[in-house]
Amino acid sequence: AEVRGPKTAPYVSYIMHVRTAFTVRGLSRRYSDFTALDSRLRIEHEAGVPVLPSKRLFGSLTAAFIHERRRQLQTYLDTLMAD
């Protein structure tokens, strides 16, 4: 994960790995991309969508928080891909 953007509006871009039967692809996405995906999946597939890690307003740019959030988002993606 890396912090990007201007100092007045920094954001975190999470580097994730998506595994398919034949490849592993890396992708870089913001938390808002995951919330958009989660919302769409919940509309289209009412049941079976894993819980997305919750949003945090303060302290979201600390190294420990970013590391833990990236781990949780990777678990979220892995769970989606397993079903």
Side-chain angles (χ1 to χ4, degrees), residues 5-22:
K7 289 185 178 184
T8 57
Y11 63 90
V12 177
S13 182
Y14 295 95
I15 300 163
M16 312 303 296
H17 298 96
V18 178
R19 294 169 185 86
T20 64
F22 303 104

Side-chain angles (χ1 to χ4, degrees), residues 35-73:
T35 59
L37 171 66
D38 188 72
S39 295
R40 184 162 183 175
L41 288 173
R42 290 188 186 285
I43 290 169
E44 294 179 10
H45 308 280
E46 295 175 14
V49 178
V51 176
L52 184 68
S54 61
K55 184 160 180 74
R56 185 172 174 184
L57 296 177
F58 300 104
S60 62
L61 296 178
T62 66
F65 178 79
I66 291 170
H67 176 74
E68 180 62 19
R69 166 69 63 78
R70 196 208 66 75
R71 188 191 64 73
Q72 291 171 345
L73 291 172

